Amino acid sequence: MASHKVNKTIKEINERIRKGLAVVVNARDMIDIVRDLGKVAAAGEVDVVTTGTFSPMCSSGLLFNFGQEPPVIKGAKVWLNGVPAHAGLAAVDAYMGCTEPVKGDPLNKVYPGRFSYGGGHVIEDLLRGKSVHLRVEAYGTDCYPRKNIEKDVRLADLPTAMLLNPRNAYQNYNCAVNLGKKIVYTYMGPLKPKAKNANYATAGHLSPLLNDPYLRTIGLGTKIFLGGGTGYVLGPGTQHNPKPPRNERGVPECAAGTLMVRGDLKAMNPRFVRGVSILGYGCSLALGLGVPIPVLNEDVAWYAGVSDADIAVPVKDYGHDYPNGVGRVLKKVSFEELVSGEIEVEGVRSATVPLTSYTLSLEVADTLKQWIQNGSFTLTEPQEAIESQ
Amino acid sequence: MDADAPYSQIVYLVFAPDVVGKAIVCSLARKFDLEFNILKAQITPRQEGAMTLELSGSAAAFQAGLDFLRDQGLKVSPAAQRITRDEASCMHCGVCTSLCPARALHLDRVSREVVFESEKCTTCGLCTQVCPVGAMQARIENGAEEAAEDA
């Protein structure tokens, strides 16, 4: 690696944070700083860039322990408010996936299904301090004779409750249109026929992994903002793609890197953890996630200066291609065009629709900035890199 | 508005005593391919009757159906369905803007917030179906709300 003009360590940055001297900016403000000062001066000036995203994030869930009371039990089937959890872990451990619908949900029998309650909603209810009905069935053993539990529990009653998310924070994502003749209801939202709308889901210049496209500062052990509390990166998420095609700025031109993360639900804030119902598709969890990027050198500063114009998003057809596993990219549009409100697809003017909340994404980045400025959040050294080329 | 676009609205019908005995509402389904959901009905033989109906179908069929009801001597008025937004719950994601036919919901390009202009709202109710957190809510006035809760 070429030697840099600016060289900082996370340890030095943490010293500055503790002394209240660190210069922390959000990823939106970093665009102009890099543009105006140049990357070397920007790296000298800024210590940390805070990023943020708030979006539905499937592949999230709650790992919880519901505790024992005599006679003890080895749960085989577990439900919270009627939503099944995976119980094949241990005696009283279970995992509630955010997309799991409540038992008896009509699903898509009445199309498009409403999916009004599921795992994500259970997680939000617990976090809001609501009481949730726990039902456990067991077959009974010599050491665990109890065969069932029926009781109401609150988050405070659960000995352990942590979000453990196999895949969050997708680095770039598709923009979805429907070239078919009738409306389709997808995980990317409703798509009107003849490409009348184009739905996209990334926070653009605020997005964590677009600000560090080669994941040079992010790895196992990186402390992050998760759901209004703190969490940690555990490594690459499922479906992590380390070798995507990239533009000249290193920004992946398709969905690429992902993170696996965890965080203590009890320390989170329901403003940033929302159960969602996606019409015709299913349940999920909308989650706020922010990564602090230590500006170790001018290259890190340069990447963190990414603007919406630098991000190319692939437009794909979800009417026919996506459901049939066809990877055709209709065209690439810049994130700046998506934000303008309209793009042109196959000769049609298509209204652009975000699924990611920009205002909440910015709030994530600014909250993280505040924590670092007031010294309550310091940075951690990644213990293992995440492959990214 | 696109004549083929899905449309849904709640209407309040008043039947004069001379038409109370006629089978009229079923024609909405048979002749105009409109789905109807009776939210409230109060019909006494040989007296004036009233009914609150939720009608769904294409916009063109909706207009034709309403013209038919008026031709049959019914008084038709839109029930005061009002769409409101729970400001504390709205995440300002933008999904609702994909279906709003009146552009009463749109994204402010500067603040990037979802703006709800209730005066432009046609109360079609599509946003109440698509909002992922149920922040868009339909309130039905003319007493129909009670009936909907009882149903």
Side-chain angles (χ1 to χ4, degrees), chain B residues 87-123:
Chain B
E87 297 296 337
S89 179
C90 174
M91 308 185 292
H92 293 276
C93 61
V95 178
C96 57
T97 67
S98 61
L99 293 186
C100 182
R103 293 199 163 257
L105 288 157
H106 65 268
L107 213 67
D108 184 283
R109 295 295 150 207
V110 179
S111 70
R112 310 274 287 270
E113 286 185 349
V114 176
V115 179
F116 176 44
E117 292 178 273
S118 56
E119 63 278 13
K120 285 189 185 169
C121 173
T122 59
T123 71

Side-chain angles (χ1 to χ4, degrees), chain A residues 53 57 167-172 207-209 257-259 261 289 291:
Chain A
T53 184
M57 294 199 203
R167 179 178 67 251
N168 279 176
Y170 239 124
Q171 187 181 34
N172 209 343
S207 178
L209 301 192
T258 68
L259 298 179
V261 303
L289 187 155
V291 178

Side-chain angles (χ1 to χ4, degrees), chain A residues 54 114 183 190 192 196-197 199 205 274-277 279 286 308 335 339-341 351 353-360, chain B residues 2 6 88-100 103 107 109-113 126 128-133:
Chain A
F54 181 92
R114 301 293 282 264
I183 190 165
K192 290 188 280 191
K196 289 263 179 62
N197 60 311
N199 295 9
H205 60 248
R274 303 291 303 276
V276 295
S277 304
L279 188 64
D308 287 346
F335 197 77
V339 172
S340 76
V353 174
L355 309 174
T356 301
S357 168
Y358 184 83
T359 56
L360 277 167
Chain B
D2 187 348
S89 179
C90 174
M91 308 185 292
H92 293 276
C93 61
V95 178
C96 57
T97 67
S98 61
L99 293 186
C100 182
R103 293 199 163 257
L107 213 67
R109 295 295 150 207
V110 179
S111 70
R112 310 274 287 270
E113 286 185 349
L126 288 173
T128 66
Q129 292 178 37
V130 78
C131 175
V133 290

Side-chain angles (χ1 to χ4, degrees), chain A residues 3-342:
Chain A
S3 61
H4 295 108
K5 292 201 172 85
V6 175
N7 287 288
K8 289 187 241 180
T9 64
I10 288 176
K11 201 175 160 205
E12 287 162 3
I13 293 172
N14 278 338
E15 281 302 309
R16 292 172 64 77
I17 292 171
R18 286 193 194 94
K19 288 178 184 158
L21 298 172
V23 176
V24 189
V25 302
N26 69 35
R28 182 177 67 177
D29 295 342
M30 188 65 174
I31 302 169
D32 287 342
I33 294 172
V34 173
R35 196 176 283 153
D36 296 347
L37 303 182
K39 62 180 183 178
V40 175
E45 185 74 25
V46 177
D47 295 310
V48 186
V49 176
T50 60
T51 64
T53 184
F54 181 92
S55 204
M57 294 199 203
C58 294
S59 204
S60 297
L62 179 72
L63 181 67
F64 65 102
N65 177 288
F66 47 88
Q68 290 284 13
E69 57 181 47
V72 294
I73 193 168
K74 173 177 164 318
K77 289 184 174 175
V78 174
W79 295 263
L80 288 176
N81 274 356
V83 182
H86 178 77
L89 292 168
V92 289
D93 283 346
Y95 187 78
M96 169 68 64
C98 72
T99 69
E100 188 69 46
V102 70
K103 191 166 183 281
D105 190 283
L107 307 174
N108 263 336
K109 285 183 200 106
V110 182
Y111 177 82
R114 301 293 282 264
F115 299 95
S116 50
Y117 200 80
H121 300 91
V122 171
I123 293 169
E124 181 183 341
D125 280 349
L126 281 168
L127 187 50
R128 288 190 187 277
K130 291 185 187 169
S131 123
V132 164
H133 189 71
L134 168 71
R135 186 173 144 222
V136 185
E137 283 178 6
Y139 45 80
T141 70
D142 289 344
C143 47
Y144 291 112
R146 191 186 185 106
K147 290 195 174 162
N148 58 67
I149 298 176
E150 288 266 1
K151 66 175 180 182
D152 291 340
V153 296
R154 289 173 194 271
L155 182 57
D157 304 325
L158 300 175
T160 304
M162 67 163 78
L163 284 191
L164 180 60
N165 304 343
R167 179 178 67 251
N168 279 176
Y170 239 124
Q171 187 181 34
N172 209 343
Y173 208 75
N174 299 335
C175 168
V177 296
N178 169 20
L179 298 181
K181 290 187 177 140
K182 67 178 183 55
I183 190 165
V184 291
Y185 297 92
T186 73
Y187 71 89
M188 292 294 285
L191 299 171
K192 290 188 280 191
K194 300 175 193 164
K196 289 263 179 62
N197 60 311
N199 295 9
Y200 62 96
T202 160
H205 60 248
L206 289 175
S207 178
L209 301 192
L210 292 178
N211 278 277
D212 184 4
Y214 293 99
L215 283 79
R216 288 189 180 165
T217 70
I218 304 166
L220 185 153
T222 298
K223 189 161 73 166
I224 59 172
F225 173 111
L226 188 65
T230 57
Y232 288 88
V233 172
L234 302 180
T238 54
Q239 297 178 22
H240 173 76
N241 174 4
K243 294 178 190 169
R246 296 175 188 268
N247 67 15
E248 65 288 350
R249 229 197 133 100
V251 176
E253 294 181 315
C254 62
T258 68
L259 298 179
M260 188 178 291
V261 303
R262 78 153 172 89
D264 184 1
L265 184 69
K266 294 185 184 190
M268 292 186 189
N269 175 348
R271 184 167 174 76
F272 300 106
V273 182
R274 303 291 303 276
V276 295
S277 304
I278 302 172
L279 188 64
Y281 172 71
C283 303
S284 189
L285 186 75
L287 189 61
L289 187 155
V291 178
I293 296 176
V295 184
L296 303 175
N297 55 53
E298 59 270 30
D299 285 352
V300 174
W302 170 251
Y303 289 127
V306 68
S307 75
D308 287 346
D310 304 320
I311 301 164
V313 178
V315 180
K316 291 190 181 176
D317 169 40
Y318 277 60
H320 170 271
D321 287 357
Y322 188 91
N324 290 290
V326 178
R328 176 170 66 135
V329 175
L330 299 172
K331 68 184 293 192
K332 283 175 186 158
V333 292
S334 78
F335 197 77
E336 193 175 35
E337 289 173 84
L338 288 174
V339 172
S340 76
E342 198 175 86

